Amino acid sequence: MPILVHDSILLKQIQDESLEGIIRFYSTQPKQEFIALDKEESFTPAKQTTLKTSTVLRLYPGGGELFGKAWNEESEEKIIG
């Protein structure tokens, strides 16, 4: 398997210290990992640095949404019909 994917729903169930160990393990693997995380500030400064240097895509409100807009906000575009 060339990739490994985890989502924040699964990862929220794991203690932060254990999650840091998992991330440390992943960083030594030749595979590509995709991890969705929130609450970055709960990690140690060293682990935050590891996450920041290995981040490829970062999503955030106010312009950093995937495809450039929030899915839960009404669009100003109107459908004519």
Side-chain angles (χ1 to χ4, degrees):
M1 177 192 299
I3 65 169
L4 180 60
V5 179
H6 282 303
D7 192 6
S8 60
I9 294 171
L10 170 70
L11 297 175
K12 284 182 181 181
Q13 306 304 318
I14 300 173
Q15 292 178 339
D16 290 337
E17 297 82 14
S18 298
L19 182 56
E20 287 188 15
I22 291 169
I23 292 170
R24 187 172 36 256
F25 173 76
Y26 286 168
S27 69
T28 65
Q29 302 304 304
K31 297 180 182 184
Q32 191 173 24
E33 297 89 24
F34 296 90
I35 303 173
L37 293 173
D38 51 5
K39 67 176 189 163
E40 175 185 318
E41 64 280 352
S42 70
F43 297 105
T44 64
K47 198 51 56 192
Q48 288 181 31
T49 300
T50 300
L51 291 171
K52 286 178 184 176
T53 59
S54 59
T55 297
V56 174
L57 175 65
R58 182 182 186 106
L59 304 176
Y60 53 89
E65 298 89 356
L66 193 58
F67 305 114
K69 61 182 179 178
W71 63 269
N72 60 347
E73 293 178 4
E74 286 191 34
S75 173
E76 293 182 13
E77 299 174 9
K78 294 183 179 179
I79 300 173
I80 300 173

